[in-house]
Amino acid sequence: MNIIKTSNSSLESVDFSNLLFGTVFSDHMLSCNFIDGKWQKPEILPYGPISFNPGLQVLHYGQSVFEGMKAFKNKDNEVLLFRKEENFKRLNKSAIRLSIPEIPEDIFMQGLNDLISLDQNWCKLGKDYSLYIRPFIFASSECIKASSSNEFKFMIITSPTSTYYNQDLNLFVEEKYTRAVKGGVGFAKAAGNYAASFYPTKIANSKGFQQVIWTDSSKHQFIEECGTMNVWFRIEDKLITPSISDTILSGITRDSIITLARESGIEVEEKDISILELLDAYKNDKLIEVFGTGTAVAVSPVKSITYRNHKMSFCDISDSFAVILKEKLQSIQRGEVMDKYGWTSKVI
Ligand code: COI
């Protein structure tokens, strides 16, 4: 791997006690081009501007996919990556749907390892700290014909992070706008999925909600996701989360939480769940807690859900599944307990 190291690290200038998610970037980035029908040799460069012309295809047609993953420091000062194989597989699944050539495994894995190894001091030890890793691929031909690009760029950038949401999560059930439709790209981490969510989210924000609950596109009756997270409902002592479909992102945190809940003796059901079922459970005092999961947030409790003129509020409880499962997840991610599922791997 060709590595050009920065001569001007910004590490010392970062206030790690006050990190705003996604705003601080580590010293280096990985870059790899797809040209002449194949992925070329990747290289690691100082983090910084990349130059392109205004005809860059991704700017016009949004042909771009990304991943979100995290690295953690253990107490021996080693860096642990969490379930990197799953991110690799999902990136290529998204790429196929967006007509982007798949990344070879060695480019992804070697690139990831070498980049994180070089910037390992950006990954801090301590509760809530992690290094958020953003692999992404975009159409890089200079061409505005509405067709798949001939050239692409794969990059990995990293960003030190602590908590994602530092305020309560009050959700609004969205019945007009839709995140994903059957046969569409909702299951993929396509950049455009997020762009399309910003306007409905902005409207919800203006009404005092932090995020929306996305519902199915045909009748807006069934719950799909919330914000950028998979969503979970504890009805009595059972955990329910919407089943994976082509409109729901197959969250790696979601999958991990299913495993950890089941090993803790919590019953988990993946099924289509309607707003009316939820409301009914709430009215009968059976809806105990709600939370979202995702790489960036880990596990994030929900304070309230508003559906039309009904507000469902949730208070902190002592045996919260969200708290128990977050703790279990994070202790594996930080290498504090035995990793019996082989989810973590050391950066070398
Ligand atoms: C993640 O959890 O990695 C996400 O996809 C959220 C991100 C859009 C900030």
Side-chain angles (χ1 to χ4, degrees), residues 149-283:
S149 182
N150 290 326
E151 297 184 355
F152 295 88
K153 197 183 258 297
F154 167 56
M155 303 194 76
I156 309 181
I157 56 176
T158 71
S159 172
T161 178
S162 55
T163 43
Y164 190 85
Y165 289 115
N166 40 23
Q167 60 191 137
D168 286 342
L169 261 188
N170 296 290
L171 308 178
F172 168 77
V173 178
E174 179 59 63
E175 292 184 273
K176 177 174 179 190
Y177 299 103
T178 297
R179 194 193 83 92
V181 294
K182 291 215 177 312
V185 295
F187 70 89
K189 276 187 97 70
N193 286 343
Y194 295 79
S197 76
F198 296 155
Y199 179 65
T201 307
K202 188 163 77 175
I203 296 174
N205 291 161
S206 72
K207 295 179 184 159
F209 303 102
Q210 283 67 45
Q211 282 295 345
V212 303
I213 290 207
W214 301 107
T215 52
D216 71 281
S217 62
S218 59
K219 300 223 166 71
H220 295 290
Q221 284 174 355
F222 288 92
I223 293 167
E224 301 209 315
E225 295 187 11
C226 76
T228 61
M229 302 179 284
N230 293 115
V231 63
W232 300 75
F233 306 99
R234 173 179 178 180
I235 296 187
E236 296 188 300
D237 276 335
K238 188 197 272 189
L239 262 185
I240 297 173
T241 191
S243 333
I244 291 302
S245 71
D246 59 359
T247 57
I248 295 181
L249 188 90
S250 181
I252 296 161
T253 311
R254 175 189 182 279
D255 182 74
S256 309
I257 291 294
I258 292 177
T259 301
L260 295 176
R262 289 194 174 136
E263 75 157 35
S264 316
I266 299 169
E267 190 184 346
V268 180
E269 192 179 1
E270 296 173 74
K271 67 164 199 156
D272 295 342
I273 178 159
S274 71
I275 291 288
L276 293 182
E277 182 178 345
L278 213 59
L279 206 55
D280 189 58
Y282 183 77
K283 284 184 181 152

